[in-house]
Every structure is written in structure tokens, then in C-alpha cells.
Amino acid sequence: TLSGKCAVITGSNSGIGLGVAREMARAGADVVLNSFTDRDEDHALAAEIAAEFGVEARYIQADMSDAEACRALITTSGRCDILINNAGIQHVAPVDEFPVDKWNAILAINLSSAFHTAAAALPMMRSAGWGRVINIASAHGLTASPYKSAYVAAKHGVVGLTKTLALETAEEPITANAICPGYVLTPLVEAQIPDTMEKYNMGREEVIKKVMLERQPSREFATVEQLGGTAVFLCSDAAAQMTGTTLSVDGGWTAL
Ligand code: NAD
């Protein structure tokens, strides 16, 4: 059980981040939810988790494209035994048409935020005498696809950052690992469907099976609960000697 531990999950008001937060709370951890918005419904998500699992849950607004805000998220949390870097955005375009502002935003949110939060969290983990850094990378942290230059570059960067964090904490009771999901049906993926339908001139179901899940041999989306379960495993004693590595939850994508 993770009772007494505090997990901070970036980008956790929807999708994988929210699913991981719920599994952390189910395992007994207190949780800090985050996104860049500050709506009643964001805070309500934290209240629901607290009521459902009997843990402390808070929502803290912080924009993960902003270095200072990333660091402030950790200091405002007051405690961070488990850091889950999950915030991420996507944009699909060929390199020669890729908007520079999208490139910069993807690198900032998907990669640099993990550097800033880890820098702020490591001293807290050291003083607590235990810590887990879990970066939600992607199958695109290990392989590439056309039209996703910024995302693929950022996710490969996350895997590299994870290895470096692991080496810098190797002799301490702290581990750093990356989870590499294949396709998980979340708002981020949902938003890619219309563009991909247009690009391939296909209907929704056809684009899902033939294009999106083309590289996922299981032909099934992974679920947010499965990703949460993987994150909980990385916090268990069984995983104490796993560090600096990647765990693929991708239906066989990276075996191809
Ligand atoms: P999502 O859009 O549902 O969630 C993204 C989260 O990040 C949201 O909570 C959003 O509010 C938050 N976010 C976006 N910009 C932010 C910012 N500037 N500051 C703070 N929070 C911000 O998408 P998702 O699919 O759940 O993606 C979560 C992570 O999983 C991402 O890093 C994504 O790259 C990764 N991933 C997703 C899939 C998939 O198939 N869905 C596959 C591999 C990896």
C-alpha cells in the first residue's frame, strides 16, 4: 500500500493522468491533481477521488509550459514522494510545415516540464528517504511516426532524461522509469482522429483499425487503468531495483 505517500501527477484532469491518479489513490496514496485550468470541475475531480478512496486529494493549477510554474507545483504540493510527469500535447504536421510555436510548446510541456518538476522534487524525495519518478513517455519515445517530429523528439528526450535521473539517484532509494504506452483512447487521441481521417481519406472505424492501431498488434487500445496499475507496480518493493528503464504498455507495438 502507498498510504502515507503523496503522488503529484502533472496533467491529470483527464485521460491517462486522471486514470493514473485514481489508481494511485486506490493504492492508498494522497494525490495532487494538476492542469493549466482552474475551474470548479477541476477541484471537484480531487474531491471525488478523496471521497471514493479515503485519501487526501488536491487540485493545483500550474501551466506545465512555464518553468517556474512547474517548480511551484512541487513546492506548493509540500510533499512529493511519487512524481508522475504526464502532461502532454500533440500536433501533427510535416517538418517543413510544422508551426514553430507548436514545436516550442510540445518541447516545453512534454519534455522540459519533467526536468523542472524532477529538479524540484528530488530534494524532497531525498529528505523523505524514498522516491519514485515515473515519466509517461510513449511508444513514440522508442520509435517514430511521420508528421510527429516534436512529439517524437520530446518523448525520446523524456526517455533520455529518465535514464539520467536514474543514474544520478542510483545509490539512493529513489528510482526513475518511463512508461511507454501505445495507443490509449483519451481526449488527446480522440483529437487526432479527424485529421488522420482527412489525411488518409478514411472513415472513423477504418482509420482506428487500419491506421491508428496498425502498429499495435493487439488491435486494442490500452486503458488508463492498465497504465495506472503499471505506475503502482513501479512504486512497489518488487520494482525497487528497476530504474532507468522503459515499460511498454503497447499491445506489442515495439516488438514489431
Ligand atoms: P489528454 O489530453 O487527455 O491529457 C493531457 C493532460 O495534460 C490533460 O490533463 C491536460 O489538461 C494536460 N495539459 C495539457 N497542457 C498542459 C499544460 N500546459 N499544463 C498542465 N497540464 C497540461 O491526453 P492523454 O492521452 O491522457 O495524454 C497523457 C500523456 O500520455 C501525454 O504525455 C501523452 O503524450 C501520453 N501518451 C498518450 C497516449 C495515448 O494514446 N493517449 C499514448 C502514449 C503516450
Side-chain angles (χ1 to χ4, degrees):
T1 170
L2 298 177
S3 106
K5 308 278 196 232
C6 177
V8 180
I9 306 103
T10 72
S12 46
N13 66 350
S14 81
I16 293 170
L18 181 58
V20 170
R22 288 178 51 81
E23 295 312 305
M24 285 285 147
R26 194 190 304 280
D30 296 327
V31 296
V32 173
L33 303 184
N34 155 263
S35 186
F36 58 92
T37 51
D38 197 10
R39 306 165 301 185
D40 289 346
E41 61 206 85
D42 296 322
H43 295 272
L45 288 172
E48 281 164 31
I49 288 179
E52 186 171 349
F53 301 109
V55 298
E56 283 182 31
R58 280 178 292 159
Y59 176 87
I60 301 179
Q61 186 275 339
D63 184 343
M64 292 298 103
S65 68
D66 176 329
E68 286 314 312
C70 293
R71 290 165 188 262
L73 169 65
I74 303 303
T75 49
T76 307
S77 296
R79 216 179 146 170
C80 181
D81 306 293
I82 302 163
L83 170 62
I84 300 171
N85 287 304
N86 168 80
I89 59 167
Q90 175 65 285
H91 187 80
V92 181
V95 167
D96 52 329
E97 292 170 19
F98 210 92
V100 172
D101 62 334
K102 293 285 187 198
W103 172 275
N104 289 335
I106 290 174
L107 269 288
I109 296 167
N110 297 23
L111 174 58
S112 300
S113 71
F115 159 71
H116 296 298
T117 56
L122 282 178
M124 291 183 181
M125 293 178 181
R126 288 188 171 120
S127 56
W130 189 90
R132 294 286 182 266
V133 179
I134 301 171
N135 294 324
I136 307 299
S138 169
H140 283 123
L142 303 168
T143 65
S145 293
Y147 316 120
K148 296 184 178 177
S149 54
Y151 188 85
V152 169
K155 293 299 188 180
H156 276 68
V158 166
V159 171
L161 172 66
T162 304
K163 293 177 184 176
T164 307
L165 288 169
L167 294 181
E168 291 186 16
T169 57
E171 294 185 38
E172 302 174 83
I174 296 171
T175 68
N177 293 289
I179 298 177
C180 295
Y183 267 117
V184 189
L185 194 58
T186 63
L188 185 140
V189 166
E190 189 64 52
Q192 291 175 45
I193 294 176
D195 278 359
T196 318
M197 281 168 62
E198 197 181 323
K199 196 173 295 280
Y200 291 88
N201 193 26
M202 287 179 183
R204 185 185 160 89
E205 285 312 305
E206 198 181 10
V207 97
I208 288 174
K209 294 276 181 205
K210 291 193 180 157
V211 179
M212 305 186 81
L213 294 180
E214 191 238 324
R215 292 172 72 181
Q216 193 142 314
S218 65
R219 301 269 186 252
E220 303 259 359
F221 286 111
T223 68
V224 300
E225 290 79 10
Q226 289 163 346
L227 293 165
T230 306
V232 169
F233 165 69
L234 283 171
C235 297
S236 72
D237 290 340
Q241 284 300 315
M242 294 179 67
T243 195
T245 196
T246 56
L247 282 85
S248 290
V249 183
D250 66 3
W253 179 324
T254 47
L256 270 176

